[in-house]
Amino acid sequence: MAKNHGFFHSPLETAHIVIKSKISRGVFAAAFDYNDAYFMLLQLPEWQRRALPRIFMLGLTSVSVFLFLALALAVTSGYSLGALVLLLASTCLLWKRPRLNLQRQDYLLLGTLLLYFCVFSANMLYHADPARELDMPLRALLAVPVMLLLLAYPPRAEAWWGGLAIGAIGGAALGLWQLLILHMERPQAATSNAIHYGNVSILLGILSLCGLSWARQQRHHRAWMALLVTGGIAGVAGSIVSGSRGGWLVLPICVCIFACQYAKGRGKYYLPAILAVFIAVSALAYTLPNSPLRERVEVAVDDVQKFNEMDNVTTSIGQRFEMWRTAVTMSTQHIWFGMGRDGYMAAKQSLADQGKMNKSILKHTNAHNDYFDALVKRGLTGLAVLLAFFLLPLVMFAGALRHCTTAARPYALGGVVLCTCYMIFGLTTSSLTLNIGIIMLLFPMVILWAMLRQQEHTS
């Protein structure tokens, strides 16, 4: 065993010494001879042996968070891998029982997740909706043990920020390949829907930019800043090639959030300058030859004109207007608890048979708007819970952003951006009715909260 020369080796350093000594005697011996390493670990002080399980759990949560983000768009259901490992790892809380030191706001966030699950599940059971409908609110319940796990064993910051950037880059690369090589009209990367691909891509990109202040404090700050900026650009590029216009609405809002956050102490001209740069870049992207941005905007304008002039509901935007109008009309009949999924579909069929609704939207099982969908299916009760599900975490992250330390600020900013983006995504699509939509809200939310709490505790 290496001698102690005025310092004590950590468990990781000890393992490194063992491996190094093994390699010096041959690669195969190092691979198959575990006896020396085992007895060496037995000679460690008791407190170091007790630390090994915690080191393992910290590594496990870090790897899981990285995989959850890095594979989100590049591998089919890639986001499920890291999420599943985190969920399975959370079972260790049943017997290890680490000290969590939960605070009032931790209980508030946990209560918000449980409230969403309980109210939406009870409503679905009340309306006898299909069992598969319970999958979505169930994700909120499953996020509870994952949040407790992450509060006990918070992942490394490098895993979070690196996973975000690589996930955005991988998704954009696959989307561009589908566009340029496969000539897909609406690339969707490894997801099943171009809309959700575009929304998740731009979300990963904007969250990557939240880590720039963290990157500046790192040893290899230039490499980290380059990676995060590349991730930010790639995320926006992936959204543009997807043609998902609803996701683009988050850009001006998030630019204002960033500008207000970084304008503090930089003079009154900083905010207007940032907004001017954003407008200039947007104008450039719009005027480029064969710009997908210009093409999708022109299609949107044409759809709106057709709807206004001829009540044309066969276009993408026309169908959305028809679904929103129908949902609001039907919601007045069951204002408190809604009509459930099957009741909603039956009511649409009845309206179509009476000629009061265009049949082109019969196949859609949701209202393409989170708020209208909750209102018509779950009533005012469901809508109120949905708003609480968005707004309470947003208020908590925003409060932390105003008062937290410099080290904790990137995670508070990320939480604000995450909740804001999903509130905007929900205006033009039902983000929470698909697996990727609700998982990419819930798991980043609890990860960011756990990392925020870690920085606050460290400070």
Side-chain angles (χ1 to χ4, degrees):
M1 181 174 174
K3 294 182 179 180
N4 189 335
H5 296 288
F7 64 93
F8 207 93
H9 292 298
S10 70
L12 292 179
E13 292 171 333
T14 303
H16 175 72
I17 293 171
V18 173
I19 294 172
K20 186 175 180 180
S21 65
K22 294 292 180 184
I23 292 176
S24 66
R25 298 202 303 270
V27 173
F28 292 101
F32 297 103
D33 184 5
Y34 297 104
N35 290 330
D36 289 352
Y38 174 73
F39 287 113
M40 200 169 189
L41 291 176
L42 288 181
Q43 297 175 32
L44 291 174
E46 183 179 358
W47 71 270
Q48 284 198 343
R49 291 201 302 271
R50 288 181 176 179
L52 290 177
R54 178 171 177 80
I55 293 173
F56 171 78
M57 290 303 300
L58 291 171
L60 180 62
T61 57
S62 296
V63 171
S64 300
V65 166
F66 175 81
L67 292 177
F68 167 71
L69 297 166
L71 303 180
L73 296 176
V75 177
T76 302
S77 297
Y79 52 86
S80 298
L81 175 61
L84 179 60
V85 175
L86 287 173
L87 180 61
L88 294 176
S90 67
T91 58
C92 77
L93 300 175
L94 297 175
W95 67 85
K96 290 193 67 67
R97 301 180 183 233
R99 184 176 298 176
L100 296 176
N101 295 320
L102 296 179
Q103 305 297 319
R104 183 179 63 86
Q105 288 192 320
D106 299 325
Y107 287 112
L108 182 59
L109 183 55
L110 290 169
T112 302
L113 298 177
L114 291 174
L115 178 67
Y116 179 82
F117 164 73
C118 291
V119 171
F120 272 68
S121 297
N123 187 282
M124 291 174 184
L125 293 174
Y126 172 75
H127 290 296
D129 283 342
R132 64 179 179 273
E133 291 290 304
L134 292 172
D135 282 351
M136 297 306 106
L138 181 62
R139 301 299 189 273
L141 178 64
L142 298 180
V144 170
V146 171
M147 176 177 163
L148 296 176
L149 173 73
L150 295 172
L151 287 171
Y153 307 105
R156 291 180 59 85
E158 294 85 349
W160 167 257
W161 299 116
L164 280 173
I166 292 175
I169 294 169
L174 183 55
L176 286 170
W177 180 72
Q178 292 174 342
L179 177 69
L180 301 177
I181 306 300
L182 301 183
H183 304 291
M184 290 180 61
E185 183 179 357
R186 296 284 304 279
Q188 57 190 40
T191 70
S192 60
N193 188 297
I195 295 176
H196 292 280
Y197 160 55
N199 289 349
V200 173
S201 180
I202 201 169
L203 175 66
L204 294 180
I206 297 175
L207 286 176
S208 296
L209 298 179
C210 293
L212 291 177
S213 60
W214 169 84
R216 282 198 292 266
Q217 307 302 319
Q218 304 310 301
R219 180 180 178 184
H220 303 289
H221 61 276
R222 292 181 180 174
W224 274 111
M225 292 188 70
L227 178 63
L228 293 177
V229 170
T230 304
I233 296 173
V236 175
S239 177
I240 291 175
V241 300
S242 75
S244 303
R245 295 168 297 209
W248 302 344
L249 298 176
V250 307
L251 280 176
I253 305 299
C254 289
V255 166
C256 291
I257 293 174
F258 278 102
C260 291
Q261 177 61 28
Y262 292 112
K264 297 176 181 178
R266 286 183 168 86
K268 61 181 180 180
Y269 298 110
Y270 187 84
L271 179 57
I274 292 293
L275 296 178
V277 170
F278 170 72
I279 293 173
V281 171
S282 301
L284 178 63
Y286 184 85
T287 55
L288 287 174
N290 301 319
S291 168
L293 178 66
R294 183 179 65 250
E295 178 184 348
R296 292 294 290 167
V297 170
E298 290 175 348
V299 170
V301 172
D302 184 61
D303 288 354
V304 172
Q305 289 177 344
K306 289 179 179 178
F307 182 83
N308 289 334
E309 295 173 1
M310 299 176 290
D311 202 25
N312 188 333
V313 297
T314 61
T315 64
S316 175
I317 291 182
Q319 287 185 342
R320 279 179 169 81
F321 287 159
E322 182 71 356
M323 283 186 279
W324 299 346
R325 181 171 61 187
T326 302
V328 171
T329 300
M330 291 190 297
S331 66
T332 59
Q333 303 170 17
H334 305 272
I335 191 63
W336 292 110
F337 300 107
M339 56 179 58
R341 191 262 192 190
D342 288 346
Y344 171 64
M345 297 301 293
K348 286 174 64 177
Q349 182 66 59
S350 176
L351 288 177
D353 293 341
Q354 298 173 33
K356 297 179 180 180
M357 186 194 78
N358 192 284
K359 293 184 177 181
S360 64
I361 65 170
L362 270 177
K363 62 180 181 179
H364 297 286
T365 59
N366 58 72
H368 262 270
N369 178 292
D370 278 328
Y371 309 101
F372 292 148
D373 196 63
L375 179 63
V376 70
K377 293 179 181 177
R378 315 300 162 201
L380 287 177
T381 305
L383 178 60
V385 171
L386 176 65
L387 291 174
F389 184 55
F390 286 143
L391 291 174
L392 284 177
L394 175 61
V395 170
M396 292 166 62
F397 280 114
L401 185 60
R402 288 194 300 270
H403 305 295
C404 67
T405 62
T406 302
R409 191 165 293 124
Y411 308 105
L413 179 61
V416 170
V417 165
L418 173 69
C419 297
T420 301
C421 284
Y422 260 86
M423 291 184 71
I424 297 173
F425 293 157
L427 295 173
T428 56
T429 189
S430 295
S431 300
L432 305 184
T433 58
L434 283 183
N435 196 29
I436 186 174
I438 194 163
I439 284 184
M440 291 307 295
L441 169 63
L442 287 168
F443 279 75
M445 182 188 294
V446 297
I447 293 169
L448 282 166
W449 184 256
M451 299 182 76
L452 172 62
R453 293 279 286 110
Q454 179 200 19
Q455 293 300 326
E456 291 177 342
H457 177 71
T458 303
S459 302

